[in-house]
Amino acid sequence: PQLLLPTANFVPFFVVFFGWDFGLWEIQTRIMLPKDQTPTTKNLHKMELLSRLQAEFGEAVSPRPADANDAVDDVQPQAIAAPRDEAAAQELVHFCGRENIAFVPRGGGTKLHIGAPPSRCDLIISTENLTQIFDHDEGNATVQAGAGISLANLDAEMRKLGQFVPLEGKNAATLGGTIATNHFGGSKLKYGAPRDLVTGLHAVLSDGRLVKAGSKVVKNVSGYDLNKLFISSFGNLGLITEVTIRLRSVPECTVICETMGFVSESEDLAWQIMNGPFEPVGLEVEENLWVNVGRVYFEGSKLGVEKQLSKLPALDAQKVPPVFKTPWELRVHLPIQSASLEWRNSIVASDDNHIIWQPILGVVRIYCRTGTPDVAALRNEAEKLGGFLIVERAPIEVKTPDLIWGKPRGDFALMQKLKQSFDAANVCAPGRFIGGL
């Protein structure tokens, strides 16, 4: 099948969101049908799907019935399949493409709330069995692992060898899910986001192709970098099965410090660190109507961390940052100079609403416990300042692609062409992405 690639001067919306680079790419084709046989587009009856999966694949994908807990934004799948390896995943995804079976990939399930409700979801493809560590290159500081391995387990294994995985996520978060959503936290300041750390990946497409993109050695990368298409694609182009990611050396010392006080005091701490001789791993200011906390993370040698701390006002050490789960969660990306105190304070309507501001990154995370935020007005303000807004969590009854992502831009036609090229059957997480892709 022909692969459409964007020209250098016209890049799709999701690539503009999270970046575009160049690198080695390879596509393999696996033909599952005789050449004279065309793929069918029939829909399997709901009651037939589980038995068909059992007959076609058996233990290779371990099919089981889905229940209410497996629904994706109230869209109920009929079955769950967990391929035992990449070959089984490739055959399963190709089967879905042939039979017009819509699926949503799932790792730990920690980020399934991000995105619009799927237009249909017959099957959940779980990566729970894709947990192998295939290669660890200590000299190049990379590791290649299955998409279903949890970040916690992968990090624990690497720390035994003196290195660690510089990604952030909850304990159940998987490597593949973190890459597919480009999830990052405050440590992006020092280590980067997934799009900066991934050097290679494998993904299977609905027409049976296996994509191998990138390399474990960064200097060997040349040509189009298909990594960036799958990073932050939310499963919309195919199923990520393997990832190669950069590691970092385990630091001698890690300290989280914070100060609590007035808004001006937290902001002063942030600007002092931004403009001073400091190298923080992360920096954020947490605010609501009554509580304001400045929080800074340092890592490195014990002497180096102590030297930086000595240049700051007295701070409380070893604090654990809070974890919020609220009905509404918004993420705003702004030019650094635009993430101003006045803009943030205009959002806080009550003491039940929290803002976490990451000033050097220009990221503002908004957690609304009560009321309904004016998403259109906030998005308009962000766009006026040269940024954008994504709704990461919202009540299901109001979730639409335009609410979550904003209205499609002028390059949406190219995004549609890319979707057609990678998922012509439109079975990979349909409806979840920008413009209902």
Side-chain angles (χ1 to χ4, degrees), residues 22-261:
F22 295 92
L24 176 67
W25 62 271
E26 172 189 358
I27 293 184
Q28 297 180 350
T29 302
R30 180 183 177 116
I31 302 298
M32 302 281 295
L33 299 172
K35 291 184 179 180
D36 58 349
Q37 182 176 346
T38 57
T40 64
T41 57
K42 66 179 181 180
N43 277 308
L44 294 178
H45 190 273
K46 292 180 179 180
M47 301 301 294
E48 296 177 352
L49 179 55
L50 184 60
S51 60
R52 181 70 183 275
L53 289 170
Q54 291 170 336
E56 290 275 343
F57 303 101
E59 292 302 312
V61 302
S62 302
R64 61 185 187 268
D67 60 31
N69 293 325
D70 298 307
V72 181
D73 283 341
D74 282 352
V75 179
Q76 178 65 48
Q78 300 306 309
I80 300 170
R84 64 187 175 193
D85 54 27
E86 184 176 76
Q90 188 174 2
E91 293 186 14
L92 176 61
V93 173
H94 191 194
F95 171 79
C96 291
R98 284 201 321 268
E99 301 293 342
N100 195 24
I101 298 169
F103 70 88
V104 171
R106 186 178 73 188
T110 61
K111 302 174 189 69
L112 278 179
H113 60 278
I114 305 176
S119 55
R120 55 195 184 100
C121 178
D122 305 307
L123 178 68
I124 294 289
I125 297 184
S126 171
T127 60
E128 63 195 58
N129 293 325
L130 305 179
T131 58
Q132 301 89 336
I133 297 176
F134 298 104
D135 180 70
H136 173 226
D137 189 329
E138 184 177 3
N140 286 306
T142 61
V143 63
Q144 180 183 8
I149 191 169
S150 71
L151 293 182
N153 288 344
L154 181 59
D155 185 63
E157 291 300 315
M158 293 301 100
R159 285 181 182 271
K160 294 176 184 178
L161 303 172
Q163 297 178 325
F164 75 100
V165 179
L167 291 173
E168 295 185 38
K170 299 177 182 178
N171 289 337
T174 61
L175 179 60
T178 302
I179 301 310
T181 57
N182 196 39
H183 175 80
F184 63 86
S187 66
K188 178 188 175 184
L189 178 61
K190 182 172 183 178
Y191 299 121
R195 65 170 300 275
D196 305 304
L197 296 168
V198 172
T199 65
L201 60 77
H202 293 185
V204 293
L205 310 185
S206 60
D207 60 5
R209 289 179 290 176
L210 170 64
V211 175
K212 293 184 176 181
S215 166
K216 72 176 183 179
V217 183
V218 178
K219 64 183 179 182
N220 285 349
V221 174
S222 61
Y224 284 109
D225 183 2
L226 296 187
N227 291 329
K228 299 303 185 291
L229 290 180
F230 288 95
I231 298 171
S232 78
S233 66
F234 289 81
N236 197 248
L237 299 178
L239 175 70
I240 297 174
T241 55
E242 294 181 16
V243 177
T244 302
I245 192 166
R246 298 177 187 176
L247 303 171
R248 295 292 185 266
S249 297
V250 174
E252 179 186 357
C253 179
T254 300
V255 175
I256 303 174
C257 300
E258 66 179 32
T259 181
M260 184 178 295

Side-chain angles (χ1 to χ4, degrees), residues 264-429:
S264 58
E265 294 173 347
S266 299
E267 188 185 41
D268 287 346
L269 173 66
W271 291 121
Q272 183 179 352
I273 293 173
M274 288 174 66
N275 298 318
F278 302 99
E279 296 181 1
V281 173
L283 173 65
E284 62 188 31
V285 177
E286 176 197 343
E287 303 174 3
N288 68 9
L289 194 60
W290 306 110
V291 178
N292 299 278
V293 179
R295 190 175 294 114
V296 59
Y297 306 69
F298 289 109
E299 287 183 352
S301 68
K302 184 176 180 180
L303 180 62
V305 170
E306 289 177 347
K307 186 175 181 179
Q308 293 187 76
L309 290 176
S310 68
K311 298 177 182 179
L312 290 172
L315 300 173
D316 296 323
Q318 300 300 326
K319 297 292 184 179
V320 178
V323 176
F324 296 107
K325 183 177 180 181
T326 57
W328 287 89
E329 296 177 14
L330 287 66
R331 171 161 49 96
V332 182
H333 292 247
L334 298 166
I336 295 174
Q337 66 273 19
S338 298
S340 65
L341 180 64
E342 292 77 15
W343 193 88
R344 299 192 314 282
N345 281 350
S346 68
I347 305 167
V348 180
S350 75
D351 57 351
D352 279 337
N353 295 338
H354 273 76
I355 295 172
I356 294 182
W357 172 46
Q358 296 164 330
I360 303 180
L361 299 177
V363 175
V364 181
R365 298 180 184 272
I366 307 166
Y367 300 87
C368 302
R369 285 195 175 96
T370 60
T372 301
D374 190 341
V375 174
L378 292 172
R379 178 171 280 134
N380 184 55
E381 285 298 314
E383 291 175 352
K384 283 182 179 178
L385 295 169
F388 60 88
L389 180 150
I390 297 172
V391 177
E392 292 195 338
R393 191 187 298 273
I396 293 172
E397 59 270 17
V398 301
K399 291 182 71 172
T400 65
D402 285 0
L403 175 81
I404 302 301
W405 307 106
K407 293 183 178 180
R409 301 191 330 183
D411 49 12
F412 183 66
L414 182 54
M415 293 183 65
Q416 291 175 307
K417 290 181 179 180
L418 285 166
K419 173 70 171 175
Q420 175 67 22
S421 180
F422 283 84
D423 179 29
N426 193 31
V427 296
C428 301

